[in-house]
């Protein structure tokens, strides 16, 4: 049996549609309610819905053979998995944003609020910039408004949240999208069916 | 589990590898000198009674290599079964890891490389206990020609993740590198396929020759150029072994000529591998499902000889027995026997 980890939430809905179009439907997945595991008996598969941040954990540890995770989570967690395919959905950016009138003073340590500390550290290390990371678990946009941080490193989809809070993009770190990932060991032994899924997905994504 | 280890040790002995038994500690100074050659970043240190800074071994290879003798034409063959101490990536804390492996150093030619690959495959077979297993093989000698100097670290990470979509975004990544990473794993037309992609005849021939000698292992050998490893340590052929049902690689190794030469053995080459034996615990076995086959609960008034006789009866049937006055919490048994007076 092939085990597949899907992210919960909006991205999960898009991924479900994509798999469905590629011919892989899971019974009851359109109306999951409280259920977490769904079967596709025809292809001997089952999928389960987990928090987007946890998909890579399930795959890296082999509880799922494959999964769909945002590139943001892969950059942040750096799991030892195969990143087999860009599904070209869930498109957004990892960006640095600040208040509209922000001026970067290079003499000061930059205070960075983010949900993605590893991505932020790596990006500023590349620039040789000293930073102070402020790790938040959400509503990061509020940090510069309240003076908690100078900038934020966060996912930007349409930019409307930034706009509503008088923020602007200062620089783009990376383009993001959903990726099909696979456990390295599982890919050795279930490669045939995984490649078949990839072929199906490439025709609809 | 111990039977598996015993079988591995016997395998290496049968091929003329002698056991290398080493102390638990090494002077810390040794690792600072060879920092570049260390796979693990952290070293667990302590001060010994003379005030000297010592380290618990994070690695076995370096300690073996430093003791070899360089004699022309001689291949020195060792195997080891040791505990090492490394930082685990998952929880960023030191972990004790059991490592079993072999090293062949000194005179290393194609034969020696084939022998080590064969031993890697046979080790996997022993550990797999009838499950599927596979040895991924790659050649850094071929791969390195295609890796641009800029961003090499990032590019190697993308290769290891088979991340073709991101690799394509690098302007200086050659399309042949992508073809190499996508290469079919089977070894039927390896030489021709490789020559077409790489254009390098000599390297392709050399690699294919070695692989051809292992044809009898069939689909257990997987050519996979996404198999990469630290280029400060390894050169030439590298490989990683996987067993169905274990989510991580259980065996890893390769040629490390650069390392041995950096340690002063200018005319030597070396190849070896390590088995991550602790991972074998991830395959659930039937025998671990019970604390004991039989749990015997006895009444206060029963004679010692009766209890002993009952225990002996089950022991003679080759079953494990636990005698208790009461049933312990969370104790799992196949059969419960109550002895009443």
């Amino acid at each position: 049996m092939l085990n597949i980890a899907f992210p919960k939430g909006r991205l999960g809905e898009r991924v479900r549609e994509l798999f469905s179009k590629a011919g892989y439907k899971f019974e009851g997945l359109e109306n999951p309610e409280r259920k977490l595991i769904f079967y596709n008996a025809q292809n001997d598969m089952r999928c389960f819905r987990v928090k987007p941040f946890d998909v890579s954990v399930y795959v890296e540890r082999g509880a799922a053979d494959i999964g769909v995770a945002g590139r943001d989570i892969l950059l942040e967690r750096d799991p030892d998995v195969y990143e087999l395919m860009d599904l070209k959905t869930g498109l957004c950016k990892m960006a640095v944003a600040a208040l509209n009138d922000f001026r970067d003073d290079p003499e000061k340590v930059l205070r960075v609020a983010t949900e993605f500390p590893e991505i932020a550290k790596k990006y500023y290390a590349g620039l040789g910039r000293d930073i102070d990371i402020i790790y938040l678990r959400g509503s990061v946009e509020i940090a510069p408004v309240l003076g908690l941080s100078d900038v934020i490193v966060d996912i930007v989809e349409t930019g409307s949240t930034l706009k509503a809070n008088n923020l602007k993009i200062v620089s783009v770190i990376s383009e993001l999208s959903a990726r099909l990932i696979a456990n390295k060991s599982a890919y050795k032994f279930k490669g045939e069916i995984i490649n078949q899924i990839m072929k199906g997905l490439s025709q609809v994504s | 589990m111990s039977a598996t280890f015993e079988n591995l040790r016997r395998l290496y002995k049968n091929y003329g590898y002698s056991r290398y038994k080493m102390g638990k500690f090494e002077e810390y100074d040794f690792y600072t000198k060879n920092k570049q050659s260390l796979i693990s970043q952290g070293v667990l240190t302590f001060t010994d009674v003379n005030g000297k800074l010592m380290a618990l071994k994070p690695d076995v290879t370096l300690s073996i290599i430093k003791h070899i003798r360089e004699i022309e034409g001689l291949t020195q063959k060792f195997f080891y079964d040791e505990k090492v101490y490394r930082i685990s990536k998952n929880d960023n804390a030191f972990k004790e890891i059991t490592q079993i492996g072999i090293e062949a150093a000194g005179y290393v030619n194609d034969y020696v490389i084939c022998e080590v690959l064969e031993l890697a495959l046979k080790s996997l077979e022993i550990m797999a206990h009838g499950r599927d297993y596979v040895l991924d093989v790659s050649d850094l000698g071929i791969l390195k020609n295609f890796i641009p100097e800029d961003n090499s670290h990032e590019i190697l990470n993308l290769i290891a993740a088979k991340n073709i979509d991101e690799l394509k975004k690098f302007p200086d990544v050659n399309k042949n590198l992508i073809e190499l990473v996508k290469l079919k794993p089977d070894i039927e037309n390896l030489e021709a396929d490789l020559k077409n992609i790489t254009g390098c005849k000599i390297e392709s021939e050399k690699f294919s020759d070695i692989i051809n000698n292992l044809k009898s292992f069939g689909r257990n050998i997987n050519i996979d150029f996404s198999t990469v490893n630290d280029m400060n340590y390894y050169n030439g052929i590298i490989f990683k072994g996987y067993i169905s049902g274990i989510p991580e690689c259980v065996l890893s190794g390769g040629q490390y000529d650069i390392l041995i030469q950096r340690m002063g053995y200018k005319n030597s080459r070396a190849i070896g591998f390590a088995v991550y034996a602790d991972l074998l615990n991830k395959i659930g076995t039937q025998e671990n499902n019970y604390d004991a086959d039989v749990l015997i609960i006895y009444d206060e008034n029963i004679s010692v000889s009766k209890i002993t006789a009952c225990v002996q009866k089950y022991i003679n049937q080759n079953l494990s027995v636990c005698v208790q006055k009461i049933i312990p919490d969370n104790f799992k048994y196949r059969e419960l026997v109550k002895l009443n007076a």
Side-chain angles (χ1 to χ4, degrees), chain A residues 32 38 56 89 109 118 124 128 152-153 186 197:
Chain A
F38 306 88
S56 69
T89 183
V109 174
E118 293 303 321
Y124 282 105
I152 60 172
V153 167
I197 293 174

Side-chain angles (χ1 to χ4, degrees), chain A residues 59-63 71 74 77-88 122 174-175 177 179 183-190 192, chain B residues 89-90 132-134 136 154 157-166 169 219 222 224 226-227 240 242-249 282:
Chain A
V59 174
E60 187 177 21
R61 299 257 180 168
R71 176 120 176 100
L74 301 175
R77 281 244 159 107
D78 192 22
D80 188 17
V81 296
Y82 289 135
E83 191 176 324
L84 295 175
M85 199 180 159
D86 183 349
L87 296 176
K88 301 194 173 80
K122 206 169 148 200
S174 174
E175 301 288 338
S177 57
R179 305 294 164 110
N183 175 275
K184 286 193 174 179
S185 180
Y187 189 65
K188 313 286 161 204
F189 305 104
K190 299 179 183 176
E192 219 166 294
Chain B
K89 185 192 157 202
N90 289 329
D132 286 341
Y133 66 91
V134 82
D136 278 358
E154 203 175 344
N157 282 343
L158 293 176
I159 292 173
K162 290 188 190 283
N163 195 339
I164 308 288
D165 291 312
E166 289 299 317
K169 291 181 187 167
R219 296 187 62 143
N222 226 0
D224 188 339
S226 81
T227 307
K240 283 185 177 172
Y242 295 87
I243 292 173
S244 172
I246 301 182
E248 295 152 74
C249 95
K282 294 200 176 178

